Amino acid sequence: MIEGLKPYAEYKESGLPWLGRCPKHWNVRRTKILFHERVQKGFPNEPLLAATQTKGVVKKEDYETRTVTAQKDLHLLKLVEVGDYVISLRSFQGGIEVAHCRGIISPAYTVLKPQKQAVSRYYSHFFKAKAFIDSLSLFVTGIREGQNIDYERLSRAEMPMPPEEEQAAIVRFLDHANRKIDGFIRAKRKLIGLLNEQKQAIIHRAVTRGLHPDVPLKPSGIPWLGDIPKHWEVFRCGSLFREVVDVGHPNARLLSIDRFKGIIPQDETGRRTRASYDRGAYKRVKPGQLAYNLMNAFMGALGFSPYDGIVSPAYAVAQPLREIETRYFHYLLRTSSYTGEFNRLSYGIMYERNRLYFERFKVVRALFPPLDEQKAIADWIEANTRSLNTAIARTEREIALMQEYRTRLTADLVTGKLDVREAAAKLPDLPTDTPDEPLEELEPEEVEA
């Protein structure tokens, strides 16, 4: 699609250091001219909304498992109309979000109503462009976890305003490009899903039946697990692990749990820390200790740490009570049999997401082969899933490259680096009756203010 795209014929200095040059015929306007702040309250019967970095502003009921819901003073929440923009507590990290539905949202947020010259979806792309997000650092107040955008300052800042017909051309081109990119990513994610299913089948068989197909079996006594090798033992997790809480290490390396890779440094996940927590409250994890996300253990957010660092207060940390092969238990406790049991044992209060507290984790019964067999099973799994891991990593990299391409393309178009007017005019209309299923994105953990 981008073959033949060229820069504009003439440029001028925009006067904005973060933008540099822009097309000569583009205007530059103050934010408060393009958008008026909407401060309307007293609509307690409207649906609650959540501002998300990947889906925009959506109904909280469609996103309720990831945020804590306000329970009172709904008349104090701000009204949001379809097409409005919302500056959330995390917009300085990921841009300003567009609203896809009417509802009410936290009074800590700023709601912007686009004026006539900004009603196209051009700004929904512009507000997510890296150059604009980087520029928001100029309007941030507070330090560390308390940072927020000072809208009074942002409202006086200028931003580019292409002619309305040109805004429409940019949106048209990006709609077509994004449909192709989404199709590519969707196919690659389906492939990753199939590879992971194959990998999990290999792992499940090994950790629940061992490596010898003819070994005598016995009932495990665990209804959701079935028969196991006769010489294996079964222990409750409370007999294998004890919870440890070691806080007060704010400068330690921050760790997180990847659902497929286990515990890794957080800077390798692309996710952000919770804004509402002080690092001093984070829990220390030592090599060989088990950690799991209280809210996502049922999704496989569990692993043994190879690092010395800290994890979110929303994690549980446990020390093995006897000599074990941590790799075996890493695989065992992430199988669908165990994550299903974690889901059954999790519970929450009101609208909070269910949590697997350690008192519940302790009652889970875990298989316990002899130590040398634990090591042999772990070695066998690693040898027999190596090619699958390579294929998964390669496919993930292809997705990452395509996402980088999308980011760069969007930035080049909304800042006027490439002219798409002629190309957009030749594109067919997209069908409106068969929308693509939206891509599922993993949101960083957040607490709604």
Side-chain angles (χ1 to χ4, degrees):
M1 286 185 64
I2 65 171
E3 293 180 4
L5 293 185
K6 298 179 180 179
Y8 287 83
E10 294 183 279
Y11 285 85
K12 65 180 179 182
E13 290 298 327
S14 67
L16 306 176
W18 58 270
L19 182 62
R21 300 197 309 159
C22 69
K24 186 176 181 179
H25 62 287
W26 284 21
N27 292 316
V28 176
R29 294 287 185 270
R30 286 191 172 187
T31 304
K32 64 182 179 181
I33 300 300
L34 298 173
F35 302 91
H36 290 176
E37 185 175 4
R38 186 194 297 277
V39 186
Q40 292 177 262
K41 301 179 181 180
F43 296 86
N45 296 321
E46 291 291 337
L48 293 168
L49 303 179
T52 76
Q53 290 287 292
T54 57
K55 295 177 172 56
V57 181
V58 296
K59 289 183 180 179
K60 188 180 287 288
E61 65 187 39
D62 298 330
Y63 199 70
E64 63 183 0
T65 60
R66 296 178 183 175
T67 58
V68 178
T69 303
Q71 295 297 306
K72 58 183 180 179
D73 296 333
L74 296 181
H75 65 285
L76 296 178
L77 273 61
K78 293 181 178 178
L79 179 68
V80 180
E81 297 281 6
V82 176
D84 283 353
Y85 292 90
V86 172
I87 302 177
S88 73
L89 300 181
R90 287 172 40 235
S91 289
F92 73 94
Q93 295 174 317
I96 299 175
E97 295 84 32
V98 64
H100 300 292
C101 48
R102 174 187 165 105
I104 52 178
I105 204 162
S106 168
Y109 294 174
T110 301
V111 180
L112 302 180
K113 175 184 177 182
Q115 298 307 290
K116 181 179 181 300
Q117 59 268 53
V119 293
S120 82
R121 290 188 293 114
Y122 164 80
Y123 285 99
S124 65
H125 294 293
F126 178 80
F127 287 151
K128 289 295 183 178
K130 186 178 184 301
F132 174 75
I133 294 173
D134 290 345
S135 77
L136 290 176
S137 64
L138 301 172
F139 312 104
V140 169
T141 61
I143 57 175
R144 297 184 66 178
E145 284 83 0
Q147 290 181 326
N148 196 8
I149 293 176
D150 182 345
Y151 179 67
E152 185 61 32
R153 290 164 55 197
L154 177 62
S155 69
R156 298 192 296 269
E158 294 181 321
M159 62 177 64
M161 189 190 75
E164 290 183 34
E165 65 275 10
E166 200 161 336
Q167 293 182 32
I170 292 171
V171 170
R172 183 183 182 86
F173 191 93
L174 285 174
D175 283 348
H176 279 264
N178 284 331
R179 171 164 286 206
K180 290 187 175 182
I181 292 170
D182 287 347
F184 174 89
I185 293 175
R186 190 174 287 109
K188 292 298 180 180
R189 286 183 176 169
K190 183 177 181 179
L191 173 59
I192 289 175
L194 294 173
L195 292 171
N196 273 312
E197 286 181 13
Q198 185 178 353
K199 177 181 172 181
Q200 291 306 313
I202 292 172
I203 292 172
H204 192 277
R205 174 75 185 184
V207 296
T208 59
R209 290 295 182 90
L211 304 179
H212 306 291
D214 299 327
V215 66
L217 302 176
K218 68 178 180 182
S220 66
I222 307 173
W224 41 269
L225 201 55
D227 293 343
I228 61 172
K230 190 174 182 179
H231 62 291
W232 286 18
E233 297 181 86
V234 177
F235 293 102
R236 292 192 183 275
C237 285
S239 298
L240 299 176
F241 305 96
R242 65 176 177 87
E243 186 175 19
V244 293
V245 180
D246 181 6
V247 298
H249 307 277
N251 297 319
R253 189 178 195 182
L254 186 58
L255 307 176
S256 188
I257 299 179
D258 180 271
R259 286 185 292 173
F260 301 112
K261 300 174 184 176
I263 296 180
I264 58 176
Q266 185 155 6
D267 55 15
E268 295 180 13
T269 69
R271 304 175 75 180
R272 293 174 288 277
T273 62
R274 283 174 175 258
S276 59
Y277 284 134
D278 178 357
R279 287 284 184 90
Y282 278 52
K283 299 175 182 177
R284 185 181 181 187
V285 180
K286 298 179 182 179
Q289 289 182 334
L290 170 71
Y292 68 85
N293 187 318
L294 295 172
M295 295 175 285
N296 285 331
F298 73 96
M299 298 175 66
L302 173 151
F304 288 84
S305 181
Y307 306 98
D308 192 327
I310 54 175
V311 292
S312 165
Y315 288 15
V317 179
Q319 172 69 39
L321 291 173
R322 62 178 70 200
E323 187 178 4
I324 64 172
E325 173 52 63
T326 57
R327 293 177 301 155
Y328 169 79
F329 283 92
H330 172 86
Y331 293 123
L332 176 71
L333 297 177
R334 290 161 61 93
T335 61
S336 59
S337 295
Y338 277 88
T339 56
E341 181 67 357
F342 294 158
N343 187 40
R344 186 184 72 82
L345 291 172
S346 298
Y347 69 96
I349 302 174
M350 297 296 289
Y351 291 96
E352 292 187 9
R353 193 192 313 183
N354 287 346
R355 289 165 166 79
L356 179 68
Y357 294 102
F358 193 75
E359 289 302 312
R360 293 290 188 100
F361 175 79
K362 284 167 56 176
V363 307
V364 176
R365 287 173 286 182
L367 304 184
F368 197 88
L371 184 59
D372 59 346
E373 198 167 344
Q374 294 178 30
K375 294 178 179 178
I377 291 172
D379 290 341
W380 185 90
I381 288 173
E382 290 176 358
N384 283 272
T385 59
R386 188 170 294 120
S387 61
L388 291 172
N389 288 333
T390 299
I392 291 170
R394 182 175 60 247
T395 308
E396 288 176 339
R397 180 57 181 160
E398 291 173 352
I399 291 175
L401 289 173
M402 186 57 72
Q403 290 171 330
E404 291 174 10
Y405 168 77
R406 186 209 302 269
T407 298
R408 179 60 186 269
L409 175 65
T410 300
D412 284 348
L413 299 193
V414 300
T415 59
K417 301 298 186 294
L418 294 173
D419 184 354
V420 298
R421 290 173 294 182
E422 183 177 345
K426 298 177 181 178
L427 293 173
D429 292 336
L430 288 174
T432 58
D433 54 343
T434 56
D436 284 335
E437 186 177 323
L439 289 174
E440 284 297 318
E441 297 284 355
L442 187 63
E443 280 285 320
E445 297 168 1
E446 64 178 325
V447 175
E448 194 79 37

